[in-house]
Structure formats: structure tokens, C-alpha cells
Amino acid sequence: FNQSDNILIGTSPDQTMRDGTLFRRARFRADGRLWENIDFACEVNFANIQDVSNVDNSTVQVGSVGLKDFYVTFREVPLFSNVRMGHVRAPISLERYSSSIALNYMERSSMYDAFYNPNNYQNGVVVFDSYLDDRVTLAGSAAWISKADVQSFGFGADEGKYGVGARLTALPIYEDAGHTLLHFGTGYFHQALVDDRFNIASRE
């Protein structure tokens, strides 16, 4: 990245962006299927750099290994059909389940940042299934939640906090290979508050 001399980012002409490069993401992923009915996924993020306060109140950057998808899924389970356990996303919001590769904008919406992103991934169980030739989906989850700290091994654990959610979708109209469709979805999510506090945050 670089900057034109005609663009100012501060109050004086000498405040410019430094010329350089940066990795936004660096991930390793392994996934597959065992014995025809057990799926697994292991995705680790190695580009999770956080600003952490030092003992003398100065800010230093530390690197931390963060988890993304890290779960095992049991298929064809009686009653629930699919049971996923591990580091998972709760089944709420289509935006939460959509990959950032397929977004129409550079960032997700402000509502996502304020309400979903603080607990984007949770440690828990998700059950899900589809019906009527995949025209109807139903999912539910129960998970432990924590603070939105450094997302890495050993950070952000809290005792006795929980979250539960459910989502139902329907696709009554699907024609012309998806060029004409009508999609409905509804969901519910409830979670306890860590330290009895809730902070609304949004990126600019």
C-alpha cells in the first residue's frame, strides 16, 4: 500500500501512510470425513495480532494463535440428524454464516459488529437438519460464551456463562437456477452477560 502526496491523513504534510505490506489473514485448515458419518474441521489463524497493555501501561503488539472452525460433526444421528461439537458459530443470522469472500461490501454491517461479532465463535453444540429437499432448515445451539478478548488458546474464558439459539429458514420459491427465489428466515438467540455488562461496538 502507498499514498499519493496529494492526500493528507493528518494536520501536516509529513503525516503519510508508510509504504509496506500486510497479511490480513494467514490460516491453516484441515477438514475431512471419517467412517462415512463423522466430519471434522480444524482451522487455525496465525495472523491474529492484538494490542495488549504492558505492565508500564504502554501498548505492545503480541501475536496469538487463534481458532476459527474447530469441531467434529456426527451425521445421521437419530432425532437430530446432525450434531456438531467444538468451536462453532451459533445458528443466527445469514450474515454470520456467510463467508467474507462473498460479501458485497468490504466489512459486515454495523448490527453484526455490535451484536454478533463479540461472540462470533462459541464453544458448544449445534444440532441441525434440512427437510423437503433442502427447502426448509432447522438448527439450534447451546454454548458457553466469554468476553471478546484475544481470540486464542487460553484467553477469554468465563465461568457459568451460556448462550442458546435457534434458526428456521424456508425457500418456498426457487426457479430458473436461483435467478428467481423467495427466502424466509427467523431466529432467536439469548445469552448471559459477562460481568453483567454489554458493550455496543462498531468499526468505521
Side-chain angles (χ1 to χ4, degrees):
F1 50 87
N2 206 334
Q3 174 188 332
S4 170
D5 293 335
N6 297 322
I7 301 176
L8 296 180
I9 62 173
T11 57
S12 62
D14 59 347
Q15 290 181 288
T16 62
M17 294 177 61
R18 295 182 178 182
D19 187 14
T21 59
L22 178 67
F23 282 103
R24 182 175 181 180
R25 296 184 180 96
R27 299 174 182 171
F28 289 145
R29 181 181 177 91
D31 53 40
R33 178 168 296 176
L34 304 171
W35 298 295
E36 297 185 358
N37 60 348
I38 301 177
D39 296 337
F40 69 90
C42 173
E43 185 171 340
V44 183
N45 182 16
F46 289 91
N48 191 14
I49 302 299
Q50 303 287 339
D51 289 329
V52 178
S53 297
N54 205 347
V55 291
D56 59 355
N57 292 326
S58 63
T59 300
V60 296
Q61 285 193 331
V62 297
S64 57
V65 179
L67 290 177
K68 302 300 285 184
D69 291 331
F70 198 88
Y71 57 77
V72 58
T73 304
F74 298 93
R75 299 158 49 89
E76 301 178 6
V77 176
L79 189 62
F80 296 114
S81 185
N82 300 287
V83 178
R84 177 171 294 169
M85 297 182 295
H87 196 62
V88 296
R89 294 189 184 195
I92 185 70
S93 171
L94 177 63
E95 188 177 15
R96 192 176 199 172
Y97 267 76
S98 299
S99 171
S100 59
I101 300 173
L103 294 180
N104 293 325
Y105 303 96
M106 290 183 63
E107 301 291 349
R108 300 182 190 272
S109 69
S110 298
M111 186 185 75
Y112 176 90
D113 284 337
F115 299 103
Y116 299 144
N117 196 42
N119 283 290
N120 193 26
Y121 282 87
Q122 302 171 345
N123 297 326
V125 179
V126 177
V127 295
F128 58 96
D129 200 0
S130 63
Y131 311 91
L132 303 177
D133 295 327
D134 295 333
R135 292 291 189 96
V136 177
T137 68
L138 179 62
S141 70
W144 292 270
I145 65 167
S146 60
K147 296 178 182 178
D149 293 331
V150 180
Q151 185 185 356
S152 61
F153 299 105
F155 283 85
D158 288 279
E159 182 180 2
K161 305 302 178 182
Y162 65 92
V164 294
R167 185 167 187 260
L168 173 66
T169 69
L171 186 65
I173 299 176
Y174 185 84
E175 300 173 354
D176 300 327
H179 289 87
T180 302
L181 61 85
L182 181 62
H183 179 267
F184 291 104
T186 183
Y188 173 81
F189 190 74
H190 175 79
Q191 70 178 38
L193 298 180
V194 177
D195 294 335
D196 295 324
R197 296 179 180 178
F198 177 71
N199 297 324
I200 296 179
S202 181
R203 293 175 293 180
E204 295 182 356

